[in-house]
């Protein structure tokens, strides 16, 4: 799917990029503070450092602002993430590093990721589909890494289990933002990453000798 085209009355691409970066930064702060629907375009313009008239030289609607935020956040997450990855690693070490790097990027951009997580649903039509496709691309990165780990003999999950595991990793990373009011009071980011990695890769550490262990229900054919 093609990217939504946000209208601009300005023709200078560098100026458009610079002004929209200002708009995105201002909008992230306002949307986190007040929510997308309660924040006004005039407030975004003021926080961006220019007039409401100037704001509308770079966008066509309030929804365009939210689209720019979501699109920019995904691109920044992926860009920062790729810079942290070490292509020389293999097996579980590689998988751990891919997951940890993503979690650290989310921590670095937690205000932006929180807005994206909470407000994406307010987009409509083409813009919503485009943004959701970008999230699926991130999920697919995890799925690809899980497949590699399976090919190297470290995992035994089937394709459907791998796909669900990739979704799970994605959400666990985002949880550092949308549950930060609770988890960040209990854990440092280093603790959160280490504990989540243990649970994601090795499970909950069930004691197989526990006397009250119940049999795992089998899927009916």
């Amino acid at each position: 799917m093609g990217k939504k085209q946000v209208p601009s009355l300005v023709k200078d691409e560098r100026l458009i990029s610079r002004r929209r970066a200002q708009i995105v930064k201002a909008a992230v702060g306002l949307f986190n503070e007040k929510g997308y629907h309660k924040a006004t375009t005039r407030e975004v313009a003021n926080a961006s450092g220019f007039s409401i008239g100037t704001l509308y030289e770079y966008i066509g609607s309030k929804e365009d602002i939210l689209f720019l935020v979501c699109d920019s956040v995904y691109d920044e997450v992926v860009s920062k993430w790729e810079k942290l990855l070490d292509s020389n690693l293999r097996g579980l070490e590689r998988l751990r590093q891919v997951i940890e790097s993503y979690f650290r990027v989310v921590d670095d951009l937690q205000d932006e990721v929180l807005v994206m997580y909470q407000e994406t649903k307010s987009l409509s039509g083409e813009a919503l589909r485009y943004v959701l496709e970008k999230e699926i691309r991130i999920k697919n990165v995890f799925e690809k890494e899980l497949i590699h780990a399976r090919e190297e003999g470290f995992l035994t999950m089937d394709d459907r289990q791998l796909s669900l595991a990739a979704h799970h990793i994605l959400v666990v990373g985002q949880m550092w933002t949308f549950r930060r009011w609770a988890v960040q009071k209990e854990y440092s980011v280093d603790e959160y990453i280490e504990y989540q990695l243990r649970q994601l890769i090795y499970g909950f550490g069930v004691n197989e000798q526990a006397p009250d262990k119940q049999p795992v229900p089998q899927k009916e054919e």
Side-chain angles (χ1 to χ4, degrees):
M1 175 177 293
K3 181 176 180 177
K4 170 184 166 65
Q5 297 302 308
V6 176
S8 174
L9 300 178
V10 178
K11 303 304 179 184
D12 186 330
E13 292 296 330
R14 287 182 296 181
L15 182 58
I16 292 173
S17 178
R18 186 164 68 249
R19 292 298 193 208
R20 286 181 174 173
Q22 290 176 258
I23 293 170
V24 166
K25 183 177 180 180
V28 166
L30 282 168
F31 293 169
N32 263 317
E33 178 186 352
K34 306 182 71 172
Y36 167 71
H37 292 291
K38 290 185 178 180
T40 67
T41 52
R42 188 171 299 278
E43 288 174 322
V44 173
N46 290 339
S48 302
F50 37 76
S51 69
I52 186 71
T54 300
L55 176 73
Y56 277 101
E57 291 180 0
Y58 298 94
I59 61 165
S61 67
K62 182 181 178 182
E63 184 177 301
D64 286 342
I65 299 175
L66 180 58
F67 173 77
L68 290 174
V69 168
C70 293
D71 190 43
S72 172
V73 171
Y74 274 115
D75 288 347
E76 190 169 5
V77 166
V78 172
S79 176
K80 287 178 175 288
W81 190 17
E82 289 176 342
K83 290 177 182 178
L84 293 176
L85 297 181
D86 184 350
S87 60
N88 295 316
L89 298 178
R90 292 290 183 271
L92 289 185
E93 189 177 10
R94 164 74 178 183
L95 183 60
R96 282 180 59 93
Q97 205 249 349
V98 168
I99 297 172
E100 177 177 352
S101 297
Y102 171 71
F103 286 0
R104 293 199 179 279
V105 170
V106 169
D107 175 59
D108 189 41
L109 299 173
Q110 57 183 275
D111 286 345
E112 291 85 348
V113 172
L114 183 60
V115 168
M116 183 178 65
Y117 177 83
Q118 293 180 327
E119 304 295 355
T120 293
K121 62 183 181 296
S122 297
L123 292 170
S124 60
E126 175 190 359
L128 177 60
R129 289 190 293 272
Y130 177 80
V131 169
L132 292 180
E133 279 189 5
K134 295 189 86 167
E135 179 157 316
I136 291 299
R137 289 178 205 164
I138 294 179
K139 173 260 182 181
N140 288 343
V141 172
F142 292 124
E143 188 167 357
K144 180 180 178 181
E145 295 296 334
L146 290 167
I147 289 171
H148 285 164
R150 182 177 66 182
E151 290 173 345
E152 293 177 345
F154 293 101
L155 299 175
T156 59
M157 293 184 286
D158 62 27
D159 288 345
R160 285 177 57 78
Q161 290 173 323
L162 281 177
S163 179
L164 183 59
H167 282 294
H168 186 60
I169 295 168
L170 181 65
V171 173
V172 168
Q174 294 173 343
M175 188 173 77
W176 181 245
T177 68
F178 67 77
R179 293 282 298 176
R180 65 183 180 181
W181 60 272
V183 295
Q184 292 189 23
K185 291 179 180 178
E186 297 182 45
Y187 307 99
S188 68
V189 64
D190 291 333
E191 289 174 325
Y192 182 82
I193 291 172
E194 181 58 31
Y195 297 159
Q196 291 290 8
L197 282 170
R198 289 181 193 175
Q199 292 184 8
L200 286 166
I201 296 176
Y202 301 108
F204 289 114
V206 174
N207 180 4
E208 295 292 336
Q209 305 302 317
D212 60 346
K213 187 182 72 170
Q214 298 297 315
V216 178
Q218 299 298 312
K219 180 179 177 182
E220 294 184 3
E221 298 295 338

